[in-house]
Amino acid sequence: MSLLHRLASDVHLMLRRPARMQYAALCYRVQKKANAVEILLLTSRDTGRWVIPKGWPMQGKRAHEVAEREAYEEGGVRGKVHKATIGSYVYQKRMDHGLQITCKVQVHALEVENLEKNFPEKGERKLEWCDYREASSRVAEPSLKRLILDFGKRLTATRPKPASKAANG
């Protein structure tokens, strides 16, 4: 029976459509005094769950440029986007007609320099800065949770520790 089950599983995998690609920005800032990495989360328009800005490919734009554009449109974010991806995650997107599709999201770090007061989706989402550990606990997708945690730990480890008051005398 296990051979039949395995064969059915293999056929299902062969017939399944590949994941659709999206691009996202992991918007972050570092509170220098506390050496704390914070992540900007926003709510999705449909379900209100905590997410990071992401969107579909755009003609004439590279992946990191799409991520940067989505960060502005969804959260008013301006900053320095990294060209290299920091990882990816997979989630199930519910389309308007009810069908669910698998999406693979390529994530680019974006160091936030400014938040605009007016942006295209203002008022459609809530925005909140969180410590990277808190941000990781708020998002639903397990692979996005790990990506946020790993990114925060890496960034914290590479930053110099703040000097203690006792050491400064």
Side-chain angles (χ1 to χ4, degrees):
M1 193 65 169
S2 65
L3 178 63
L4 185 59
H5 181 70
R6 201 169 116 215
L7 186 59
S9 177
D10 289 348
V11 169
H12 173 73
L13 286 174
M14 288 188 304
L15 297 176
R16 189 178 67 179
R17 288 184 173 178
R20 304 261 176 84
M21 185 61 86
Q22 289 187 307
Y23 304 111
L26 184 62
C27 303
Y28 74 96
R29 67 183 181 191
V30 177
Q31 297 293 343
K32 291 177 180 33
K33 287 184 181 178
N35 195 34
V37 177
E38 293 182 324
I39 304 296
L40 182 66
L41 293 180
L42 41 98
T43 55
S44 67
R45 289 189 293 186
D46 54 352
T47 64
R49 73 191 189 288
W50 291 108
V51 297
I52 60 175
K54 65 184 168 303
W56 301 106
M58 297 176 188
Q59 190 168 358
K61 291 200 179 294
R62 298 191 321 233
H64 70 281
E65 295 170 325
V66 172
E68 182 178 37
R69 173 77 177 259
E70 293 297 330
Y72 167 71
E73 289 181 0
E74 296 180 10
V77 172
R78 298 285 191 196
K80 266 191 274 190
V81 67
H82 300 227
K83 288 182 183 179
T85 182
I86 59 168
S88 63
Y89 69 97
V90 175
Y91 81 106
Q92 296 297 313
K93 177 165 184 64
R94 185 175 307 280
M95 303 304 283
D96 291 337
H97 44 66
L99 180 72
Q100 280 195 1
I101 61 169
T102 301
C103 291
K104 182 175 182 179
V105 184
Q106 182 177 307
V107 181
H108 295 266
L110 191 156
E111 186 173 7
V112 177
E113 295 171 343
N114 189 36
L115 288 174
E116 300 289 333
K117 288 185 169 111
N118 293 307
F119 51 94
E121 295 182 19
K122 181 180 181 177
E124 297 178 32
R125 304 169 182 274
K126 284 193 258 178
L127 282 69
E128 196 169 314
W129 284 104
C130 305
D131 172 83
Y132 74 91
R133 291 171 289 261
E134 173 68 20
S136 173
S137 73
R138 288 190 188 188
V139 297
E141 298 80 11
S143 50
L144 179 56
K145 287 177 181 288
R146 280 190 301 280
L147 193 141
I148 291 171
L149 269 179
D150 292 347
F151 178 77
K153 287 176 184 174
R154 253 191 339 267
L155 209 55
T156 302
T158 61
R159 299 198 47 84
K161 302 276 186 261
S164 69
K165 290 182 181 181
N168 291 337

